[in-house]
Amino acid sequence: MTTPLLTSLAAPDGDRPDAVTVGGHRLSREDLLGAAGAVAARVAGAPAVAVHASATPETVVAVVGALLAGVPAVPVPPDSGPAERAHILRDSGAALLLAGAGAEVAEGPLETVRVDPAERAEWTKAEPEPESAAFVLYTSGTTGAPKGVVISRRAVAADLDALAGAWAWTAEDTLVHGLPLFHVHGLVLGVLGALRTGSRLVHTGKPTPAAYAAAGGSLYFGVPTVWNRVVRDPDAARALSGARLLVSGSAPLPAPVFRELERLTGQRPVERYGMTETLITVSTRADGERRPGSVGVPLPGIRTRIAAEEGAAIGELQLTGPTLFDGYLGRPEATSGAYTEDGWFRTGDIATVEADGFHRIVGRASTDMIKSGGYRIGAGEIENVLLDHPAVQEAAVVGAPHDDLGQQIVAYVVAEGVTERDLIDFVATELSVHKRPRVVRFLDALPRNAMGKPQKKLLPPV
Ligand code: MCA
Ligand code: AMP
C-alpha cells in the first residue's frame, strides 16, 4: 500500500537549512512547508492552478502549495511563446497563475498570484485523495497542440517509491540536477522525489558540467545531452567520481557517452526509461548490472510486453501498472486511442527484450515525434506554425541525428521571400525556444506519394 504523496514531506527532527537549494537560494523543509502553506490557502478550491515554472524556489513552493491544497498544478514552461502559453492556460482550466515576485509574466487571461518563499502559514487540512490529480503536464503528440496529461497523486507516489527502491535512494543522498521544472524528469523525479525520499536537493539552475562538478552530490540526474557535455569536460566529469549514482533518462544515452562516463568517473551510469504518460517504468538498478544501450528491467508493479509481428522480437513497447496517467484532459478519444483493446498503454517506442529481461529502446514508431536535448517535440505542432507564416506554402519537420542533442529539429519548407532566420524566429514567437528549428531547408516541392501525401522518408539529408 503506497503512502500518501506528501506524508513524508514534513521536516524531520534536526531540519537542515539547506534541504532544498535552487539556483543558490536555500530553504529548510520547515521554510518550504510554511511558504507552501501560504500558497495552499490562496489556491484552495480552484479547479487547477498554473505555475510559471522557472528554475526558482518559487516554483518549488508553488507546486508543493498546490499539492497541499489538492489543486492540480499545471507547470507552464517559462519560455513558451504566446500561442503555446494561451493554449495551456485555456485548455487546463487553470483559475490562477502562480509566479515569483521577480518573474516577468506576460499579460494573460488569469490573475497572477505572486509566490513569496519567505511567507509562512500553517496548513493543517488532511491530505487529498490518492486518486485525485496532482498534475496536468502538457506534452506534444505527433500532430496538433500539446495535450494535458493528467497524473494522479497515487501514480506519482508509486513511481517515486519504485525508483527509491531501484536506486537505493534515501535521506542520506544529495540529489543534484539542473533540469527544467516543468517536466516529469526535473519536477516529478527531481523535486518531489527528493522531498519524498528525504534527500537534500541541489538544483543548479542550468545543468552545466561546471555546476554539476561543484555541487558535491551523491545522486545526479541528467538527460543524455547533459552527460555528453559532462564527458567533453573531463575535469568536471572526474569531479563526479565520488558520487553514488549517475542517472540518465528522457532520451537514449549513446553507448560512447556511457563508456566515457565510466572511464572518467569510474562508474557505469544507470539508465531509465519513461514517458510523461507513464512516469518512469523501466530502469537499471543500483544493485544490478548496467549495460550501454539498455534501460534495464520493469520497475516493481509495471508489466511490459512487445507487440511484435508473429515471430519477430522487435515491436512496440506496451505497458500496464500503477504509474500510468488518468488520461488526456478533455480528450477521451485520444485517451482511448493510446490504449490497446485489452488495456495496455501503447508507448509508440520500438523495443526489444533480451533473454534476461533487459529492455532496449531501439526507436520510435513515428518519425513525427522528435526528442531534442531530452525535450519531446511534435513535428505537427511546428509544421502548423510554419504554415501560418504567409510566405510558407508547404512544411515538413523532422528530427535529424545530432551529436549533442540526439536529434535536431529540421524544417523543410516550400516558401518564397523569407530567410531561414525569419522562419526560426517566427516559430520562437509562437512556441517554446527549444521548439525552434535549428536548420531550415528550402525545397521546390515536398516529396509526395501517388496519393499526394508528403513522404518524410524521401526528404534530402540535412
Ligand atoms: C537553440 N538556440 C538557438 C536555436 N536553438 N539559437 C538559434 N537558433 C536556434 N534554432 C540557442 C539556445 O536558446 C541557447 O541560447 C543556445 O542556442 C544553446 O542551446 P542548446 O544547444 O539547446 O543548449 P541549452 O540551452 O544549453 O540546452 C540543453 C539542455 C536542454 C540543457 C540539455 O535541452 C534541457 O534542459 N533539456 C532537458 C529537457 C527535459 O528535461 N526533458 C525531460 C522530459 P542561450 O545559451 O542564450 O540560452 S520528461 C521525459 O522525457 C520522461 C518522463 C523521462 O523519461 O524523463
Ligand atoms: P516525454 O513524454 O517527454 O517524457 O518523452 C517520452 C519519450 O522519451 C519516450 O516515449 C521515449 O521515446 C523517450 N525516452 C525516455 N527515456 C528514454 C531512454 N532512456 N531511452 C530512449 N528513449 C527514452
Side-chain angles (χ1 to χ4, degrees):
M1 176 67 189
T2 309
T3 51
L5 180 56
L6 294 179
T7 301
S8 51
L9 198 67
D13 288 344
D15 193 19
R16 296 181 283 219
D18 58 352
V20 175
T21 305
V22 186
H25 302 273
R26 304 181 337 160
L27 292 171
S28 70
R29 282 179 171 243
E30 209 175 297
D31 297 337
L32 173 57
L33 271 181
V39 169
R42 295 230 189 89
V43 304
V49 60
V51 177
H52 177 81
S54 49
T56 56
E58 284 85 348
T59 298
V60 176
V61 168
V63 167
V64 174
L67 289 173
L68 281 176
V71 176
V74 185
V76 182
D79 70 341
S80 51
E84 193 176 1
R85 185 183 145 82
H87 167 71
I88 294 174
L89 295 181
R90 193 180 49 244
D91 189 78
S92 64
L96 297 165
L97 173 69
L98 297 172
E104 273 184 42
V105 181
E107 278 289 304
L110 302 184
E111 180 196 342
T112 303
V113 173
R114 297 291 172 174
V115 173
D116 179 0
E119 254 188 290
R120 298 288 174 265
E122 202 181 351
W123 180 260
T124 52
K125 298 228 168 78
E127 172 123 22
E129 285 299 307
E131 295 308 319
S132 61
F135 292 104
V136 183
L137 297 180
Y138 276 79
T139 194
S140 301
T142 51
T143 57
K147 297 190 280 282
V149 174
V150 181
I151 299 171
S152 70
R153 304 172 77 93
R154 186 231 335 116
V156 172
D159 204 48
L160 296 178
D161 291 352
L163 290 175
W167 300 342
W169 184 4
T170 70
E172 301 297 310
D173 278 306
T174 293
L175 170 65
V176 176
H177 73 92
L179 297 168
L181 296 184
F182 43 87
H183 283 312
V184 166
H185 198 163
L187 181 60
V188 177
L189 274 59
V191 173
L192 296 184
L195 296 176
R196 188 164 172 89
T197 55
S199 72
R200 274 179 70 223
L201 167 64
V202 177
H203 188 285
T204 56
K206 288 246 171 200
T208 60
Y212 276 34
S218 62
L219 177 61
Y220 282 81
F221 290 172
V223 296
T225 301
V226 168
W227 295 121
N228 181 50
R229 292 177 187 186
V230 166
V231 298
R232 279 158 199 264
D233 182 342
D235 287 339
R238 284 191 202 98
L240 304 184
S241 306
R244 189 178 67 75
L245 219 57
L246 310 179
V247 183
S248 181
S250 303
L253 181 69
V257 178
F258 181 108
R259 292 198 196 94
E260 275 300 279
L261 268 176
E262 182 177 19
R263 190 177 69 80
L264 291 164
T265 68
Q267 18 187 323
R268 293 162 84 83
V270 159
E271 186 167 1
R272 93 297 178 288
Y273 160 85
M275 277 185 90
T276 306
E277 289 89 335
T278 65
L279 305 181
I280 309 309
T281 48
V282 184
S283 181
T284 51
R285 299 179 55 89
D287 61 1
E289 195 196 336
R290 303 164 208 166
R291 263 177 229 167
S294 173
V295 294
V297 295
L299 293 173
I302 304 290
R303 288 194 299 148
T304 64
R305 72 181 186 192
I306 303 291
E309 304 273 312
E310 192 64 37
I314 291 187
E316 186 187 37
L317 178 66
Q318 301 180 345
L319 308 158
T320 64
T323 66
L324 265 60
F325 71 141
D326 288 346
Y328 296 112
L329 186 68
R331 288 173 171 77
E333 279 176 20
T335 305
S336 58
Y339 286 89
T340 62
E341 270 176 19
D342 57 346
W344 290 65
F345 179 76
R346 309 176 47 139
T347 65
D349 289 305
I350 306 300
T352 154
V353 181
E354 291 172 19
D356 58 2
F358 270 53
H359 289 49
R360 284 180 183 273
I361 309 296
V362 296
R364 288 271 330 160
S366 168
T367 52
D368 288 335
M369 194 79 92
I370 299 166
K371 268 266 156 165
S372 185
Y375 284 115
R376 169 167 154 187
I377 299 149
E381 193 185 2
I382 304 173
E383 288 160 4
N384 288 345
V385 173
L386 288 168
L387 289 168
D388 276 345
H389 192 287
V392 175
Q393 291 144 40
E394 298 185 59
V397 168
V398 300
H402 189 274
D403 282 349
D404 182 45
L405 298 167
Q407 291 185 309
Q408 66 170 347
I409 305 171
V410 179
Y412 293 84
V413 296
V414 179
E416 265 169 44
V418 70
T419 65
E420 176 176 43
R421 191 75 254 156
D422 294 339
L423 290 180
I424 291 171
D425 291 346
F426 183 69
V427 173
T429 60
E430 294 297 305
L431 305 177
S432 298
V433 167
H434 64 264
K435 293 183 179 173
R436 275 178 297 184
R438 302 267 162 163
V439 178
V440 179
R441 287 280 310 262
F442 292 86
L443 301 179
D444 292 334
L446 294 185
R448 291 180 185 273
N449 65 11
M451 311 291 289
K453 197 171 175 296
Q455 297 295 288
K456 290 194 177 179
K457 294 210 166 83
L458 299 181
L459 287 164
V462 185

